[in-house]
Amino acid sequence: MAGGMFYWAIVAAAFAVSFPIFCSFTPWLFRRLVPRFDELTPRKHFLIKDAVLSICHVFVMATLAWYTFLCTDQVPSDVIWHESSLVKIMNSLMVGYCAAACVLMLWYRVVDQASFLHHLVSTYTAYISLTYPCLHYYANICYMMEISGPFVNTRMILKQLGDQSSRLFIFNGLAMIVTFFFGRVLSTIVATYNLVRLMWWDSQQFFQLPVSVMLCYVGGCALFNTLNYYWFYKILRGFVSFLHKNNSSSNKSNQE
């Protein structure tokens, strides 16, 4: 019971800390970095503050996840029933952060349906992983994907500030492509292979898992893989289009 309360205390802490980061720290920081911050529209204010909150969250999550994967033996890929204390901490952080993000969207009435649904699904999958001591390797893979999060959210901030032509935007885009490929494409291909192999070789035990757990891991794998590969295609296409446009502009300038 005491162990369970520890993880729910982390949920509560992650939920509570999200609000001062969003409401106080981010405006304070950006008023010093961006003189025209107060001139932005309320929606842009919200998106910037939401992106900073997300950067704080995903930085912690990605660091813990990659440490767990590379430096510990807590996440074996070929075992169904096992428990990782580090993954449970990450699950707790995810539940608290996603709950806070949903509350902020509703409170400020800036509800992007896709983002809101994403947070709800993430809350559900993290809750299932927190309450059932199984398949924590695959939960950790999900959190390893967050390595691309700081660059994805930095791109959002730069777009809201109108800095799409800056060198920072270009370098950030390159970093986003690289981390997105390793964190959300390559790692999920390996994890999906391991999951299918586990379902095949230990099918009797696997298909005795509760429906909610199978929905979380099998359904979540199918959903997030599809989204990740689609987003990666869109990112690559957008970056190629951006480079082509820049090259065309440079050639025009040279001709003139």
Side-chain angles (χ1 to χ4, degrees):
M1 181 68 178
M5 289 300 295
F6 169 72
Y7 296 111
W8 285 107
I10 294 175
V11 172
F15 180 82
V17 167
S18 297
F19 293 96
I21 292 174
F22 183 95
C23 300
S24 302
F25 172 72
T26 304
W28 173 84
L29 177 65
F30 272 78
R31 285 189 181 107
R32 282 153 181 76
L33 295 177
V34 183
R36 56 192 173 84
F37 178 71
D38 286 325
E39 298 171 12
L40 299 175
T41 65
R43 179 174 176 79
K44 288 187 175 184
H45 275 181
F46 179 89
L47 292 174
I48 289 172
K49 292 189 289 185
D50 182 64
V52 172
L53 174 59
S54 182
I55 288 171
C56 294
H57 168 72
V58 297
F59 178 79
V60 174
M61 296 293 285
T63 303
L64 280 174
W66 281 89
Y67 168 78
T68 302
F69 180 75
L70 295 172
C71 304
T72 77
D73 58 359
Q74 288 198 22
V75 285
S77 63
D78 57 350
V79 179
I80 293 177
W81 289 99
H82 70 281
E83 187 171 77
S84 164
S85 58
L86 287 171
V87 172
K88 290 185 76 171
I89 289 172
M90 287 181 266
N91 290 329
S92 304
L93 292 169
M94 179 63 81
V95 171
Y97 159 73
C98 286
C102 288
V103 169
L104 287 166
M105 283 186 198
L106 294 172
W107 182 262
Y108 284 90
R109 298 180 181 178
V110 183
V111 180
D112 176 77
Q113 291 183 350
S115 180
F116 191 77
L117 182 61
H118 179 271
H119 284 313
L120 288 180
V121 172
S122 297
T123 303
Y124 170 77
T125 55
Y127 171 77
I128 293 297
S129 184
L130 178 61
T131 51
Y132 288 95
C134 60
L135 301 174
H136 277 180
Y137 165 84
Y138 302 96
N140 193 66
I141 289 291
C142 290
Y143 300 137
M144 287 168 62
M145 294 192 298
E146 301 293 2
I147 192 173
S148 65
F151 305 105
V152 172
N153 285 287
T154 298
R155 181 176 182 274
M156 170 65 77
I157 292 170
L158 292 173
K159 282 185 70 175
Q160 302 311 310
L161 296 175
D163 288 340
Q164 291 97 315
S165 59
S166 66
R167 284 190 175 184
L168 177 59
F169 188 82
I170 296 171
F171 291 138
N172 180 77
L174 286 170
M176 182 178 70
I177 290 172
V178 172
T179 54
F180 204 101
F181 174 74
F182 283 103
R184 292 179 178 266
V185 177
L186 186 60
S187 67
T188 57
I189 290 172
V190 173
T192 302
Y193 168 76
N194 287 331
L195 181 62
V196 171
R197 188 178 63 171
L198 188 62
M199 292 168 66
W200 177 263
W201 290 111
D202 204 354
S203 58
Q204 185 175 0
Q205 188 177 19
F206 188 90
F207 289 102
Q208 288 177 350
L209 289 168
V211 173
S212 57
V213 174
M214 285 197 286
L215 180 64
C216 169
Y217 287 103
V218 179
C221 175
L223 174 63
F224 288 116
N225 282 5
T226 302
L227 290 173
N228 283 329
Y229 304 152
Y230 173 71
W231 287 333
F232 189 63
Y233 163 74
K234 295 275 284 184
I235 288 169
L236 282 180
R237 196 172 76 165
F239 195 73
V240 169
S241 174
F242 177 81
L243 290 178
H244 179 71
K245 194 180 295 183
N246 271 16
N247 286 337
S248 298
S249 300
S250 298
N251 290 336
K252 270 189 178 180
S253 299
N254 292 335
Q255 288 172 3
E256 291 171 359

